[in-house]
């Protein structure tokens, strides 16, 4: 059985990892609007690739 300080340290580590994961997922969500706008403006290029492939 682990002692209380060991458990606290482990929980604190996992909470920090979880928070970092949330921050990274939020940061990577920002470019989605720009990327989708670019994709919508260049959709014909991708349609041509699909037709020839």
């Amino acid at each position: 059985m682990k002692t209380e300080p060991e458990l606290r340290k482990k929980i604190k580590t996992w909470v920090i990892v979880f928070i970092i994961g949330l921050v990274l997922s939020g940061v990577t969500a920002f470019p989605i609007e720009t990327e989708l706008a670019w994709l919508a403006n260049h959709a014909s290029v991708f349609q041509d690739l699909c037709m020839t492939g």
Side-chain angles (χ1 to χ4, degrees), residues 2-52:
K2 294 189 179 209
T3 63
E4 185 178 337
E6 290 173 335
L7 286 174
R8 286 183 181 268
K9 184 175 181 181
K10 193 167 195 165
I11 292 170
K12 184 177 179 179
T13 301
W14 280 111
V15 168
I16 291 171
V17 168
F18 185 72
I19 291 172
I20 291 171
L22 287 175
V23 169
L24 289 176
S25 68
V27 168
T28 58
F30 286 121
I32 289 176
E33 185 177 349
T34 306
E35 292 169 357
L36 288 176
W38 183 89
L39 184 62
N41 290 333
H42 297 87
S44 62
V45 173
F46 296 105
Q47 288 174 354
D48 292 342
L49 288 174
C50 290
M51 295 295 179
T52 58

